[in-house]
Amino acid sequence: MIPHQHDLTLRPITGPDELDLFNSLPYVLNDEVGSDMAAGRRRPEWLWLAQRGDRVVARAGWWSRAGDRHPLLMDIFDIDGDIDDGVRLLKTALAVVVPAGTTPPQYLRFLPADWREHQHTRQAVDDRMGVLQRAGAKLFVERLRLEWRPGTPVAELSGRLAFRPVRNPGELIELMTLVLDGTLDAHSRDDLTRMTRRRAARERYHDEFESYASPHEWWRIATLPDGEPVGFVIPAHNGYHPVIAYLGVVPAHRGHGYIHDVLAVGTSLLAAQNVPRIRAATDVGNTPMAAAFARAGYVNFERQIDMTWR
């Protein structure tokens, strides 16, 4: 017998004492929720439950950078029961978590690399996306999550390029601005519908790269022997994993295979720190970048679905 709607309780968790209850539905991020809360990246009022009696039938969670007033991402959403329970939870929580008059933050979900090949997994994805669509979200992009593992050979450099540290933020922002010309990245292309390339580059630098606690001295500019910049790579640690945060080749020098040297230098620099893995990501549709990572020995270990509200 399906309980009536009035038996459904919708609420945020009371605090760390309810983390086990929140994590009673399985997901790869469960192990990070507690440390995120301790670090200020999650708050109890951003972690919502739908319950029928003692049973959790749905949950939703948001994440931010430490110190942010409002959530930056919705990255947890699970349903274990009736789809309508998920809809009610999402609509109720969004009305409280998202400031009035603002657009809800992006939703993202990590999925097995072969999620389409298994009926149970595919149905769960379809159910979640269906609920999010009923709450006003639409599919934005699917991404490849990539990983380099110790023992994987790092490609030898061709010798055609020289590499040096970044001299100052302005130099990197200028190269980021150039790289955005003709970008295949869906998020960058979306940014460029609302702002100039320079503003998009500047905002990404200040919102993301500037805040990395890992040494900025790791960042590298690739140049021709005469010193002309060709591209750059930003190896970093994002607080969870060592990552290739960003890399690119400027339009004037694309088509020569320089991306392979640029990626190899970033990978080599992180590998020299004896890291347990190096993570990266790119859009499924960005086939040149995906091919470069594959050639460098990165494996596609997961996929990611991004959905947005307009």
Side-chain angles (χ1 to χ4, degrees), residues 58-78:
R59 66 170 182 165
W62 285 261
W63 176 95
S64 74
R65 294 164 301 208
D68 286 356
R69 290 181 57 201
H70 305 298
L72 186 68
L73 295 170
M74 177 185 176
D75 61 347
I76 297 175
F77 183 56
D78 292 289

Side-chain angles (χ1 to χ4, degrees), residues 166 184 252:
V166 175
L184 297 177

Side-chain angles (χ1 to χ4, degrees), residues 18 24 42 45 51-52 70 91 103-104 125 128 132 147 152 170 179-180 189 198 230 247 253 257 265 272-273 280 310:
E18 287 198 316
S24 60
R42 298 189 193 272
E45 60 268 28
Q51 291 175 273
R52 291 195 178 278
H70 305 298
K91 290 184 175 180
T103 302
V125 173
R128 276 191 301 270
L132 285 148
E147 186 173 86
T152 305
V179 162
L180 284 171
R189 290 163 72 100
R198 178 168 292 278
V230 164
L247 77 164
H253 294 291
V265 162
Q273 316 299 319
R310 295 298 182 195

Side-chain angles (χ1 to χ4, degrees), residues 239-284:
Y240 298 95
H241 307 282
V243 295
I244 299 294
Y246 197 20
L247 77 164
V249 172
V250 300
H253 294 291
R254 288 174 185 160
H256 302 292
Y258 291 145
I259 192 71
H260 302 298
D261 280 2
V262 174
L263 178 54
V265 162
T267 303
S268 178
L269 196 148
L270 288 174
Q273 316 299 319
N274 295 316
V275 296
R277 72 194 69 82
I278 302 170
R279 293 274 173 90
T282 193
D283 294 355
V284 169

Side-chain angles (χ1 to χ4, degrees), residues 166-184:
V166 175
R167 290 173 180 149
N168 56 66
E171 176 185 48
L172 183 58
I173 290 169
E174 176 63 30
L175 289 174
M176 291 169 64
T177 301
L178 293 172
V179 162
L180 284 171
D181 185 9
T183 179
L184 297 177

Side-chain angles (χ1 to χ4, degrees), residues 36 66 74 76 91 101 110-111 139 141 157 161 168 185-186 191 197 204 212 214 219 237 241 250 267 285 291 293 304:
D36 278 348
M74 177 185 176
I76 297 175
K91 290 184 175 180
F110 300 145
L111 300 167
L139 174 65
V141 72
L157 302 184
L161 301 177
N168 56 66
D185 179 82
D191 286 342
R197 285 187 286 126
R204 184 162 188 190
Y212 285 143
S214 52
W219 305 352
H237 196 293
H241 307 282
V250 300
T267 303
F293 276 108
Q304 175 182 323

